[in-house]
Amino acid sequence: MKYPLSEKYNTPELMGKIMGPNPVKLEEELLIGHKIPAGSVVCDLGSGQGLTSVFLAKEYGFTVYAADLWSDPEENRRFFREMGLSETEAVPVKADAAALPFEAEFFNAVVSTDSYNYFGRDPDFLDQKLLPFVKKGGYVYIAIPGMKKDCHDHLPPELLLSWTPEQLDYMHDAAYWRSMVSRSRDAEIIEVCQMESNEEVWADWLRQENAYAIGDRRAIEAGGGKYLNFIKIVLRKK
């Protein structure tokens, strides 16, 4: 697919901030036809070094809270200012997804790109840890790395060139994730489907010269990509 918004961010400096398959392209596909109202307050959950937060603020006009446990809020704040965003347009917050430091129903929507699989496999996470912070009728948009078909009983040797079985347990297929989110009492499932983005977002990541990208090359170059995909989940709070 084409990524007209993401192409603005395709520079060596900005791509050097990505921490996995190109999250800006994933986010652009995730938000095609989105229902988040203009001017919404949005949580970028698992925002990393802030590139997706900049994208949400600049391209969609949202007020963004960049919530991440591992990134440095001060570094992200400097990055946001360098990208021309004000203190109120993009707000960095050091936060654990399981203990978010916000008021109840603070957000119109939550967007989580390439991170929800780390904490969302807890069946109680959605109702107990996330949806309390979303307004009634608000949305949750999720893009996560997955498998075209779960193969944990017989893991392909190509995937084991880069990842351990424990690391691969973070990846599951769309049926797994539909089953997981369907347990929620408080969320209406709008969509769970395979995304188009896979080969291109992986290619952008594997071009980076850091230890994690170099390590991931072994599996993908051996053909492991044929087992992988990205999964889109859209939920609405009842």
Side-chain angles (χ1 to χ4, degrees):
M1 62 172 285
K2 297 185 182 298
Y3 303 91
L5 299 178
S6 303
E7 286 304 321
K8 305 174 189 178
Y9 300 82
N10 188 22
T11 68
E13 294 77 18
L14 294 180
M15 285 297 97
K17 284 186 163 291
I18 68 175
M19 302 170 70
N22 192 327
V24 184
K25 288 180 178 177
L26 286 169
E27 200 156 83
E28 182 169 357
E29 180 180 354
L30 177 65
L31 293 179
I32 291 174
H34 74 84
K35 304 297 184 183
I36 306 172
S40 285
V41 177
V42 172
C43 178
D44 182 5
L45 185 60
S47 58
Q49 297 189 62
L51 188 57
T52 51
S53 302
V54 171
F55 188 68
L56 289 170
K58 292 179 73 73
E59 303 303 327
Y60 299 91
F62 302 141
T63 296
V64 181
Y65 283 75
D68 194 89
L69 182 59
W70 305 111
S71 61
D72 182 344
E74 288 306 315
E75 289 184 6
N76 281 354
R77 181 174 285 106
R78 286 192 293 272
F79 174 54
F80 296 156
R81 301 297 86 77
E82 290 169 2
M83 295 298 292
L85 295 171
S86 71
E87 292 281 349
T88 58
E89 290 175 307
V91 183
V93 180
K94 193 173 188 66
D96 186 335
L100 293 173
F102 302 107
E103 296 179 5
E105 300 189 354
F106 186 74
F107 296 109
N108 300 100
V110 173
V111 178
S112 184
T113 305
D114 197 5
S115 62
Y116 190 86
N117 50 314
Y118 291 110
F119 38 79
R121 293 176 302 131
D122 176 354
D124 295 325
F125 174 79
L126 193 55
D127 282 353
Q128 295 184 12
K129 306 296 185 180
L130 184 58
L131 287 175
F133 301 100
V134 180
K135 297 180 189 298
K136 183 177 180 180
Y139 289 90
V140 178
Y141 280 81
I142 301 166
I144 45 177
M147 293 180 169
K148 293 177 181 176
K149 183 175 177 59
D150 269 14
C151 53
H152 293 283
D153 291 338
H154 302 284
L155 286 170
E158 299 98 311
L159 296 181
L160 293 171
L161 292 172
S162 293
W163 302 294
T164 66
E166 291 76 20
Q167 290 170 322
L168 289 167
D169 193 42
Y170 290 106
M171 295 185 181
H172 290 274
D173 62 15
Y176 169 94
W177 283 107
R178 179 174 285 277
S179 175
M180 181 64 70
V181 297
S182 69
R183 303 180 195 185
S184 170
R185 300 180 307 275
D186 300 328
E188 172 191 0
I189 299 174
I190 304 300
E191 187 175 9
V192 179
C193 65
Q194 179 173 294
M195 300 176 71
E196 290 184 33
S197 304
N198 191 56
E199 292 185 11
E200 185 160 356
V201 296
W202 272 105
D204 288 346
W205 169 236
L206 298 180
R207 280 193 286 269
Q208 306 310 307
E209 293 296 334
N210 65 64
Y212 297 104
I214 292 169
D216 289 353
R217 289 175 191 168
R218 294 191 293 271
I220 302 301
E221 290 174 353
K226 66 178 176 286
Y227 302 103
L228 304 179
N229 65 1
F230 274 84
I231 296 166
K232 173 181 179 177
I233 302 172
V234 183
L235 309 171
R236 182 177 181 272
K237 184 176 177 180
K238 295 177 181 177

